[in-house]
PDB file of all heavy atoms in Angstrom:
ATOM      1  N   ASN A 442     -10.603   6.371  32.704  1.00  0.00           N
ATOM      2  CA  ASN A 442      -9.193   6.316  33.276  1.00  0.00           C
ATOM      3  C   ASN A 442      -8.213   5.597  32.364  1.00  0.00           C
ATOM      4  O   ASN A 442      -7.061   5.349  32.833  1.00  0.00           O
ATOM      5  CB  ASN A 442      -9.278   5.481  34.605  1.00  0.00           C
ATOM      6  CG  ASN A 442      -9.972   6.443  35.664  1.00  0.00           C
ATOM      7  OD1 ASN A 442      -9.829   7.639  35.794  1.00  0.00           O
ATOM      8  ND2 ASN A 442     -10.887   5.771  36.519  1.00  0.00           N
ATOM      9  N   LEU A 443      -8.657   5.168  31.243  1.00  0.00           N
ATOM     10  CA  LEU A 443      -7.764   4.397  30.379  1.00  0.00           C
ATOM     11  C   LEU A 443      -6.530   5.146  30.016  1.00  0.00           C
ATOM     12  O   LEU A 443      -6.520   6.328  29.742  1.00  0.00           O
ATOM     13  CB  LEU A 443      -8.500   3.987  29.076  1.00  0.00           C
ATOM     14  CG  LEU A 443      -9.483   2.888  29.224  1.00  0.00           C
ATOM     15  CD1 LEU A 443     -10.302   2.798  27.824  1.00  0.00           C
ATOM     16  CD2 LEU A 443      -8.805   1.462  29.505  1.00  0.00           C
ATOM     17  N   GLU A 444      -5.359   4.371  30.198  1.00  0.00           N
ATOM     18  CA  GLU A 444      -4.111   5.034  29.835  1.00  0.00           C
ATOM     19  C   GLU A 444      -3.487   4.333  28.598  1.00  0.00           C
ATOM     20  O   GLU A 444      -2.669   5.069  27.935  1.00  0.00           O
ATOM     21  CB  GLU A 444      -3.110   4.753  31.090  1.00  0.00           C
ATOM     22  CG  GLU A 444      -3.568   5.501  32.250  1.00  0.00           C
ATOM     23  CD  GLU A 444      -2.748   5.095  33.515  1.00  0.00           C
ATOM     24  OE1 GLU A 444      -1.964   4.287  33.399  1.00  0.00           O
ATOM     25  OE2 GLU A 444      -3.049   5.573  34.672  1.00  0.00           O
ATOM     26  N   ARG A 445      -3.770   3.020  28.382  1.00  0.00           N
ATOM     27  CA  ARG A 445      -3.020   2.348  27.198  1.00  0.00           C
ATOM     28  C   ARG A 445      -4.114   1.512  26.566  1.00  0.00           C
ATOM     29  O   ARG A 445      -4.782   0.626  27.299  1.00  0.00           O
ATOM     30  CB  ARG A 445      -1.910   1.628  27.667  1.00  0.00           C
ATOM     31  CG  ARG A 445      -0.781   2.353  28.235  1.00  0.00           C
ATOM     32  CD  ARG A 445       0.380   1.489  28.713  1.00  0.00           C
ATOM     33  NE  ARG A 445       1.049   0.898  27.570  1.00  0.00           N
ATOM     34  CZ  ARG A 445       2.175   1.313  26.981  1.00  0.00           C
ATOM     35  NH1 ARG A 445       2.734   2.455  27.346  1.00  0.00           N
ATOM     36  NH2 ARG A 445       2.658   0.676  26.011  1.00  0.00           N
ATOM     37  N   VAL A 446      -4.270   1.573  25.274  1.00  0.00           N
ATOM     38  CA  VAL A 446      -5.345   0.756  24.556  1.00  0.00           C
ATOM     39  C   VAL A 446      -4.617   0.069  23.333  1.00  0.00           C
ATOM     40  O   VAL A 446      -4.029   0.846  22.585  1.00  0.00           O
ATOM     41  CB  VAL A 446      -6.566   1.613  24.233  1.00  0.00           C
ATOM     42  CG1 VAL A 446      -7.580   0.642  23.420  1.00  0.00           C
ATOM     43  CG2 VAL A 446      -7.153   2.191  25.416  1.00  0.00           C
ATOM     44  N   HIS A 447      -4.633  -1.118  23.236  1.00  0.00           N
ATOM     45  CA  HIS A 447      -4.006  -1.890  22.190  1.00  0.00           C
ATOM     46  C   HIS A 447      -5.072  -2.437  21.275  1.00  0.00           C
ATOM     47  O   HIS A 447      -5.864  -3.368  21.715  1.00  0.00           O
ATOM     48  CB  HIS A 447      -3.154  -3.027  22.754  1.00  0.00           C
ATOM     49  CG  HIS A 447      -2.053  -2.611  23.676  1.00  0.00           C
ATOM     50  ND1 HIS A 447      -0.791  -2.186  23.240  1.00  0.00           N
ATOM     51  CD2 HIS A 447      -2.009  -2.291  24.912  1.00  0.00           C
ATOM     52  CE1 HIS A 447      -0.086  -1.912  24.238  1.00  0.00           C
ATOM     53  NE2 HIS A 447      -0.797  -1.896  25.422  1.00  0.00           N
ATOM     54  N   LEU A 448      -5.262  -1.968  20.068  1.00  0.00           N
ATOM     55  CA  LEU A 448      -6.314  -2.259  19.169  1.00  0.00           C
ATOM     56  C   LEU A 448      -5.705  -2.750  17.751  1.00  0.00           C
ATOM     57  O   LEU A 448      -6.507  -2.740  16.862  1.00  0.00           O
ATOM     58  CB  LEU A 448      -7.289  -1.175  18.974  1.00  0.00           C
ATOM     59  CG  LEU A 448      -7.964  -0.678  20.218  1.00  0.00           C
ATOM     60  CD1 LEU A 448      -8.658   0.721  19.988  1.00  0.00           C
ATOM     61  CD2 LEU A 448      -9.008  -1.655  20.736  1.00  0.00           C
ATOM     62  N   SER A 449      -4.484  -3.081  17.695  1.00  0.00           N
ATOM     63  CA  SER A 449      -3.872  -3.543  16.395  1.00  0.00           C
ATOM     64  C   SER A 449      -4.610  -4.700  15.807  1.00  0.00           C
ATOM     65  O   SER A 449      -5.035  -5.646  16.473  1.00  0.00           O
ATOM     66  CB  SER A 449      -2.343  -3.818  16.595  1.00  0.00           C
ATOM     67  OG  SER A 449      -1.647  -2.695  17.067  1.00  0.00           O
TER      68      SER A 449
END
Side-chain angles (χ1 to χ4, degrees):
N442 289 317
L443 283 173
E444 298 170 359
R445 298 176 67 93
V446 180
H447 302 268
L448 299 169
S449 294

